[in-house]
Every structure is written in structure tokens, then in C-alpha cells.
Amino acid sequence: MPTLVRFLIICLIITGAVYGTMLALVTFVDPAERDVTIRIPPERLDPERLAPK
């Protein structure tokens, strides 16, 4: 039984560290917004229209 308790305590400590890290990231990190432009070649938009017949 002591081995099971030790295992559960270690799992709780690891889980607490993960949640603490996530909370710190949410609290202290402010992502910057920016515009993203992706150019798509016309062949990918309508390949049937541009295909040779």
C-alpha cells in the first residue's frame, strides 16, 4: 500500500506542476495578433478549369 500512495502522490505533484505551468502561461503570456496572408496558386483553387482538354 505505501507504494501505491507514493505513486499517487508523485502523480498529483506532476499534475499540479503541469496545471501550474498552464496557469502561468495563460496569465503572463499575451500573444501578439498579426495579419496572415497565404497565396494559393490558381491551379489549387479550380484544377478542372485549368486542366488541358
Side-chain angles (χ1 to χ4, degrees):
M1 192 63 164
T3 306
L4 177 62
V5 172
R6 189 179 315 148
F7 173 71
L8 291 176
I9 289 174
I10 290 172
C11 287
L12 287 174
I13 290 172
I14 291 172
T15 304
V18 168
Y19 276 106
T21 303
M22 288 176 18
L23 181 66
L25 283 173
V26 167
T27 304
F28 296 118
V29 176
D30 189 25
E33 293 184 14
R34 58 183 178 160
D35 292 333
V36 177
T37 303
I38 300 173
R39 297 197 180 271
I40 302 174
E43 300 86 31
R44 293 199 52 198
L45 294 176
D46 191 9
E48 294 176 4
R49 182 176 63 92
L50 296 175
K53 295 182 181 181

